[in-house]
């Protein structure tokens, strides 16, 4: 077994958590290596998650503009969707960004080790390369960033054509005429937005009482209303009992809220019922690392109970499974490992973004959570239908909702559904981080005409009265 030099930090996994941790470790002057089992760097987010999905969402948006060009005074007599060109552009974007990650790792003097990494003892990692050769790496600190995989329903395996996860749906040979999506979380509703605009007849089934169940109740209701207006069928409190592959696709048997059995046929079925952590085969069984339903328990600095071992990203218990969360966790972990002053993770400051049509962006407590926590709540709400820039864009759905403490005006949460919500939410994240009040936002001058004006108006609604409604 070959042995490499000892490192200050070895990161296992090169997703947004792992590669960011490795880059920051190099910037801090530590001798660093990163281990990746796949042939490209970037992990799920870059290769089969956030980036390719958002690439397809942009294609869908552009195609939708062509379909509705008359509204903008443009006549398009002939246009069509070239699915293979769409896939080619997606692949080009992914390849470019993956090479960019490798460039940044090299720039920061991070050694890149290809192979499957596994803990084999205190400060020891074995790496098995694609040809089966094994080498051992030693490190003062190890950062586990092994990510997650799509959960599947019992008895089902993806086949790349009819039974799909977030991976397979990105490379379909052709757009299905009909698509049923099981799960109305972020993954499910984003793909619903993509394929409806590409021409698929889309049905979304959700076992819980509402779509995007982690969001504010009013946001869920607004998305469901918008989906139905667009032609996306969405059924909540729907329990899938059986999925059968047929010569034409799939047949689903499910039960609705009133207990009545239903049957649905579609060309393809996307399983979007959550993610499972990749912790089963990375050598944790002989360590002090504690697990909770397969997820790793850590403290605020991302330390596990095993000395010198940190965990970040999708494998962390209680952490939102979001790329930007993994990145910040990686920075916190290696900063702490370097002996520098590190700020512990504050998950209340995490923005949640869902790139549907209309988009969703949120941070902090929902109205329900704030009331359950005992706050005397004041709500400020402003619709995009009264925002000039939204009218210009032809995007009139949705609203900005500010949840504030009634006595002091502290911002407890902000919930947006509407155009470019995933961009606008950044102002709210900063305001909550700085312990801002609704007065602070109301008295912040927002440029006109912009979508951000809705944030200022919602704050005015919580303080006194909005101007433009």
């Amino acid at each position: 077994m070959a042995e490499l030099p000892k490192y200050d930090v070895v990161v296992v996994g090169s997703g947004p958590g792992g590669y960011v941790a490795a880059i920051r470790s190099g910037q801090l002057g530590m001798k660093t290596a990163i281990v990746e089992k796949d042939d490209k760097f970037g992990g799920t987010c870059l290769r089969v998650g956030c980036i390719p999905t958002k690439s397809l969402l942009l294609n869908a948006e552009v195609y939708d503009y062509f379909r509705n060009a008359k509204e903008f005074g443009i006549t398009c007599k002939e246009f069509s969707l070239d699915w293979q060109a769409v896939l080619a552009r997606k692949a080009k974007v992914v390849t470019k960004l993956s090479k960019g990650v490798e460039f940044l790792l090299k720039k920061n003097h991070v050694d890149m080790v290809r192979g499957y990494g596994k803990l084999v003892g205190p400060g020891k990692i074995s790496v098995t390369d694609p040809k089966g050769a094994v080498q051992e790496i030693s490190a003062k600190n190890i950062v586990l960033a092994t990510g997650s995989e799509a959960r599947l329903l019992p008895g089902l395996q993806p086949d790349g054509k009819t039974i799909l996860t977030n991976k397979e749906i990105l490379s379909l040979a052709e757009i299905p005429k009909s698509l049923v999506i099981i799960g109305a979380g972020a993954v499910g509703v984003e793909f619903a937005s993509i394929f409806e605009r590409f021409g698929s007849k889309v049905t979304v089934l959700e076992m819980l009482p509402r779509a995007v169940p982690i969001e504010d109740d009013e946001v869920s209701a607004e998305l469901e209303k918008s989906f139905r207006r667009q032609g996306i069928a969405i059924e909540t409190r729907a329990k899938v009992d059986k999925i059968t592959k047929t010569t034409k696709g799939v047949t689903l048997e499910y039960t609705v809220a009133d207990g009545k059995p239903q049957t649905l046929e579609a060309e393809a079925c996307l399983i979007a019922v959550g993610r499972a952590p990749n912790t089963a085969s990375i050598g944790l069984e002989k360590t002090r690392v504690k697990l909770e339903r397969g997820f790793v328990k850590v403290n605020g600095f991302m330390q596990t109970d095993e000395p010198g071992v940190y965990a970040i990203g999708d494998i962390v218990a209680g952490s939102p499974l979001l790329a930007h969360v993994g990145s910040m966790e990686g920075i916190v972990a290696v900063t702490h490992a370097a002996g520098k002053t590190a700020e512990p993770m504050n998950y209340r400051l995490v923005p949640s973004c869902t790139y549907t049509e209309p988009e969703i962006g949120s941070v902090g407590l929902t109205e329900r959570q704030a009331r359950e926590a005992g706050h005397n709540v004041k709500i400020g709400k402003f619709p995009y239908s009264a925002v000039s820039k939204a009218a210009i864009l032809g995007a009139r759905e949705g609203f900005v909702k500010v949840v504030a403490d009634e006595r002091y005006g502290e911002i407890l949460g902000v919930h947006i559904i509407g155009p470019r919500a995933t961009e606008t939410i950044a102002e709210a994240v900063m305001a909550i981080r700085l312990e801002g009040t609704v007065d602070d936002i109301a008295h912040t001058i927002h440029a006109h005409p912009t979508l951000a004006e809705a944030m200022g108006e919602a704050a005015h609604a919580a303080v006194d009265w909005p101007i433009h409604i």
Side-chain angles (χ1 to χ4, degrees):
M1 179 185 292
E3 185 172 352
L4 293 181
K6 186 167 185 174
Y7 290 90
D8 295 308
V9 173
V10 171
V11 181
V12 183
S14 73
Y19 81 72
V20 168
I23 289 169
R24 177 51 55 90
S25 178
Q27 290 171 341
L28 291 171
M30 294 190 285
K31 185 174 178 59
T32 307
I34 189 166
V35 179
E36 174 53 57
K37 63 181 175 60
D38 294 327
D39 60 343
K40 293 180 182 177
F41 287 83
T44 293
C45 173
L46 197 158
R47 299 176 63 242
V48 291
C50 318
I51 301 305
T53 304
K54 277 54 177 180
S55 177
L56 293 184
L57 278 160
L58 177 62
N59 287 101
E61 182 179 0
V62 172
Y63 188 56
D64 203 41
Y65 270 120
F66 273 92
R67 290 197 304 177
N68 297 285
K70 272 191 175 181
E71 181 183 343
F72 301 94
I74 300 170
T75 301
C76 294
K77 293 183 178 179
E78 291 185 18
F79 66 95
S80 60
L81 183 71
D82 185 340
W83 178 240
Q84 295 308 312
V86 168
L87 295 181
R89 182 181 186 276
K90 168 185 67 71
K92 184 178 179 181
V93 169
V94 169
T95 299
K96 179 179 180 180
L97 293 177
S98 182
K99 288 181 178 178
V101 170
E102 290 194 37
F103 167 78
L104 291 171
L105 291 168
K106 290 176 182 176
K107 176 185 174 183
N108 290 282
H109 311 292
V110 177
D111 289 345
M112 290 174 276
V113 184
R114 306 276 183 172
Y116 191 94
K118 183 176 182 179
L119 294 171
V120 290
K124 300 286 185 181
I125 300 169
S126 71
V127 181
T128 306
D129 73 16
K131 295 181 179 179
V134 180
Q135 59 184 338
E136 190 172 277
I137 304 175
S138 59
K140 296 177 184 176
N141 300 282
I142 296 168
V143 180
L144 301 175
T146 50
S148 64
E149 295 287 339
R151 289 189 185 276
L152 285 166
L153 297 177
L156 288 180
Q157 289 297 323
D159 60 14
K161 184 178 180 182
T162 55
I163 305 296
L164 311 167
T165 70
N166 64 290
K167 288 184 180 180
E168 295 78 25
I169 198 168
L170 292 170
S171 303
L172 287 173
E174 56 187 23
I175 297 170
K177 292 184 175 63
S178 54
L179 173 68
V180 59
I181 298 173
I182 302 174
V187 173
V189 294
E190 285 184 7
F191 279 111
S193 282
I194 292 170
F195 282 92
E196 185 280 328
R197 285 181 286 178
F198 283 159
S200 299
K201 181 181 178 182
V202 178
T203 302
V204 181
L205 302 178
E206 171 57 54
M207 185 173 66
L208 296 176
R210 56 194 179 92
V212 286
I214 68 168
E215 301 293 345
D216 187 88
D217 292 23
E218 288 189 279
V219 169
S220 294
E222 183 76 2
L223 182 67
E224 290 177 28
K225 182 175 73 173
S226 176
F227 267 19
R228 292 186 177 107
R229 182 192 62 76
Q230 295 174 51
I232 298 172
I234 182 164
E235 187 137 25
T236 56
R237 301 181 188 274
K239 181 180 178 296
V240 176
D241 301 308
K242 187 178 181 182
I243 301 175
T244 306
K245 291 174 65 172
T246 67
T247 55
K248 295 182 179 179
V250 293
T251 298
L252 278 86
E253 298 173 34
Y254 64 100
T255 307
V256 293
D258 61 7
K260 291 183 179 178
Q262 304 286 329
T263 301
L264 177 66
E265 294 184 353
E267 280 193 6
C269 175
L270 170 65
I271 310 296
V273 293
R275 309 281 299 177
N278 291 327
T279 55
S281 303
I282 58 174
L284 297 181
E285 60 278 359
K286 294 181 181 179
T287 71
R288 300 178 190 175
V289 174
K290 291 188 175 109
L291 299 178
E292 182 180 289
R293 296 180 298 108
F295 292 90
V296 178
K297 298 183 76 171
V298 299
N299 65 13
F301 297 107
M302 314 315 297
Q303 291 174 289
T304 70
D305 286 0
E306 177 72 18
V309 176
Y310 296 78
I312 63 173
D314 287 5
I315 64 172
V316 173
S319 174
L321 276 65
L322 299 168
H324 44 282
V325 175
S327 295
M328 183 56 72
E329 289 172 341
I331 291 172
V332 170
V334 296
T335 302
H336 185 269
K340 307 289 186 182
T341 300
E343 185 177 324
M345 285 296 298
N346 183 349
Y347 293 107
R348 184 174 170 239
L349 298 176
V350 171
S352 176
C353 295
T354 307
Y355 299 79
T356 41
E357 174 53 45
E359 287 188 354
I360 298 169
S362 64
V363 64
L365 301 178
T366 66
E367 179 180 352
R368 182 199 296 265
Q369 289 169 339
R371 295 189 188 282
E372 289 175 349
H375 291 281
N376 291 321
V377 171
K378 189 164 187 179
I379 302 298
K381 190 175 172 184
F382 194 81
Y384 278 106
S385 60
V387 176
S388 303
K389 186 61 177 287
I392 292 167
L393 294 173
R396 302 173 184 87
E397 290 183 309
F399 53 81
V400 175
K401 178 178 179 178
V402 176
V403 180
D405 176 81
E406 186 173 28
R407 183 175 181 183
Y408 298 109
E410 178 190 1
I411 302 167
L412 303 173
V414 175
H415 308 278
I416 309 173
I417 180 167
R420 305 295 185 264
T422 58
E423 305 288 344
T424 309
I425 195 61
E427 179 182 355
V429 179
M430 179 64 78
I432 294 176
R433 176 175 172 77
L434 297 178
E435 299 181 357
T437 67
V438 282
D439 290 273
D440 291 326
I441 291 184
H443 290 92
T444 296
I445 299 172
H446 293 78
H448 174 80
T450 63
L451 295 171
E453 288 179 273
M455 182 76 74
E457 292 274 17
H460 273 294
V463 173
D464 36 48
W465 304 276
I467 303 299
H468 289 95
I469 193 170

